[in-house]
Amino acid sequence: MSPVTKSATPTTVPGAVTTRQPDIDDAVRMWEIARDSQVLDLNSSYAYLLWCRDFRDTSVVAEQDGRVGGFVTGFVRPEDPRTVFVWQVAVDESLRGRGVAAAMLNDLLDHLALQGVTRLETTISPDNTASRALFSSLARMRYVAITKRELFTNSHFPDQHESEELYIIGDDTTGGEQ
């Protein structure tokens, strides 16, 4: 996936939303945003600490006036170093509707393109229309294909979790291992 062209001048306007890689100190706020979303699977607070330490290169936070207001967590798939798997995308209610999720995903993909990442994978439950719209929009914005296929049915989960469909954005969308 080619990086999206953007200005070389950083935004420093008060109230502007900026993106960066997370630090360990961001983990608490990331956990709170996930909890408050009432939609995401809430991981343990320890998991968010590990994301900020071990997967900070493949994760992004959005910040406004020094406060984290959104995040993307992901990792490069060990079996396929061309693919970043996006685990969670969350935006605080106060920042929704401003393109923050798309900005974080674009920044992540632009950063990882320099390391040879050419596609993104994520899973979305069938009833999550907001995530489907976000990732479809991302594919259009980057002029790349998007495909989906079944990955995990609800019978794979030990609880009442919905099925999860695999969405693939970028090159070689017909291949890839599960």
Side-chain angles (χ1 to χ4, degrees):
M1 248 181 286
S2 300
V4 173
T5 304
K6 54 185 168 180
S7 171
T9 307
T11 305
T12 57
V13 178
V17 177
T18 57
T19 60
R20 61 175 173 77
Q21 292 178 318
D23 294 318
I24 289 175
D25 291 338
D26 298 322
V28 169
R29 184 68 184 124
M30 292 165 64
W31 181 88
E32 291 171 345
I33 293 168
R35 177 200 62 200
D36 294 348
S37 77
Q38 298 181 0
V39 177
L40 289 177
D41 290 337
L42 184 62
N43 298 302
S44 71
S45 57
Y46 181 68
Y48 292 96
L49 284 164
L50 288 175
W51 281 108
C52 291
R53 187 192 78 159
D54 295 336
F55 299 102
R56 79 182 298 269
D57 194 47
T58 53
S59 299
V60 176
V61 293
E63 189 175 61
Q64 181 183 42
D65 296 330
R67 179 173 166 82
V68 170
F71 69 87
V72 172
T73 54
F75 59 89
V76 173
R77 292 198 57 211
E79 311 81 23
D80 184 0
R82 301 170 306 130
T83 301
V84 62
F85 183 87
V86 170
W87 181 268
Q88 286 187 318
V89 178
V91 178
D92 185 74
E93 188 174 9
S94 66
L95 295 180
R96 288 185 194 146
R98 296 176 53 188
V100 172
M104 290 188 296
L105 288 167
N106 274 308
D107 282 358
L108 176 65
L109 290 172
D110 290 347
H111 168 72
L112 294 176
L114 301 173
Q115 299 171 30
V117 170
T118 58
R119 93 176 154 197
L120 177 150
E121 291 182 351
T122 195
T123 60
I124 304 173
S125 59
D127 71 338
N128 191 335
T129 56
S131 287
R132 285 198 323 265
L134 170 65
F135 286 98
S136 294
S137 173
L138 178 71
R140 283 190 307 275
M141 193 180 318
R142 297 184 77 86
Y143 302 102
V144 295
I146 182 171
T147 60
K148 76 171 184 170
R149 66 174 178 246
E150 184 178 272
L151 184 61
F152 302 123
T153 66
N154 58 352
S155 66
H156 287 116
F157 294 96
D159 53 10
Q160 299 299 312
H161 199 288
E162 277 192 276
S163 62
E164 293 279 341
E165 298 172 320
L166 179 66
Y167 283 74
I168 305 165
I169 299 170
D171 78 345
D172 191 22
T173 58
T174 59
E177 299 175 31
Q178 292 186 15

